[in-house]
Amino acid sequence: KGRGVDVFLPLITRTRRWSDRTKKIDFPLFSGYAFVHIAPEPKTRLNVLSAFGVVRFIGPTAQGTPIPNSEIESLRTALVNDIALRPLPFIKIGQRVRIRSGALAGMEGILIGTRGNHQLVVSISTIQRSVSLAIEGYDIDPI
């Protein structure tokens, strides 16, 4: 910000407990990432890259990859309206996942989406059969 760059660092508040106290602390929603809105000029990019703590722009090229304004605005809207957010791993339909907790903890399968619902496909390869089950509300991790 001190260099005149439009910066967005989404923060979430977490409660931390120590043996003698409890305190609410702000943490970045996406650890290690800050969003900048800049003109695609070498001088502007260099201004950002020379700031303390900046490592690089994210993307397949050194220029970085623009993030759609709608995605950033969705985050801003949720934060301004005090909507509870929690970071999750990025999981794509078709990816192998493991259920983290609950009655199905440890179960593995392939994540699919049908009619707006997430389903887990569990396969028994020996008999070449599969079943799907609804996993809405379960925490899952990519494998």
Side-chain angles (χ1 to χ4, degrees):
K1 281 185 175 182
R3 294 172 181 236
V5 176
D6 182 18
V7 179
F8 175 52
L9 178 64
L11 299 173
I12 56 173
T13 303
R14 293 185 179 158
T15 303
R16 291 289 185 213
R17 291 185 178 93
W18 290 272
S19 60
D20 62 335
R21 67 187 183 281
T22 300
K23 188 174 182 179
K24 292 185 184 249
I25 301 174
D26 288 335
F27 289 92
L29 179 61
F30 304 113
S31 180
Y33 295 92
F35 302 97
V36 295
H37 187 257
I38 60 171
E41 302 169 350
K43 182 179 176 184
T44 310
R45 289 183 67 259
L46 185 59
N47 187 29
V48 172
L49 288 170
S50 62
F52 178 76
V54 175
V55 177
R56 65 184 175 99
F57 287 98
I58 301 297
T61 68
Q63 307 301 318
T65 301
I67 297 173
N69 285 336
S70 61
E71 293 178 10
I72 298 297
E73 286 309 311
S74 294
L75 282 176
R76 286 186 199 266
T77 300
L79 290 167
V80 165
N81 290 295
D82 289 327
I83 304 297
L85 301 174
R86 72 184 160 112
L88 295 172
F90 185 71
I91 299 173
K92 295 184 266 187
I93 300 298
Q95 187 172 356
R96 285 197 58 81
V97 297
R98 178 180 300 119
I99 297 176
R100 185 181 327 150
S101 59
L104 304 176
M107 187 178 288
E108 297 179 8
I110 297 171
L111 180 68
I112 64 169
T114 58
R115 294 183 300 273
N117 295 319
H118 287 105
Q119 304 278 317
L120 183 71
V121 173
V122 178
S123 297
I124 302 172
S125 57
T126 306
I127 61 172
Q128 296 185 353
R129 295 289 185 256
S130 299
V131 297
S132 77
L133 51 132
I135 58 168
E136 293 300 322
Y138 284 94
D139 289 334
I140 57 176
D141 288 322
I143 298 177

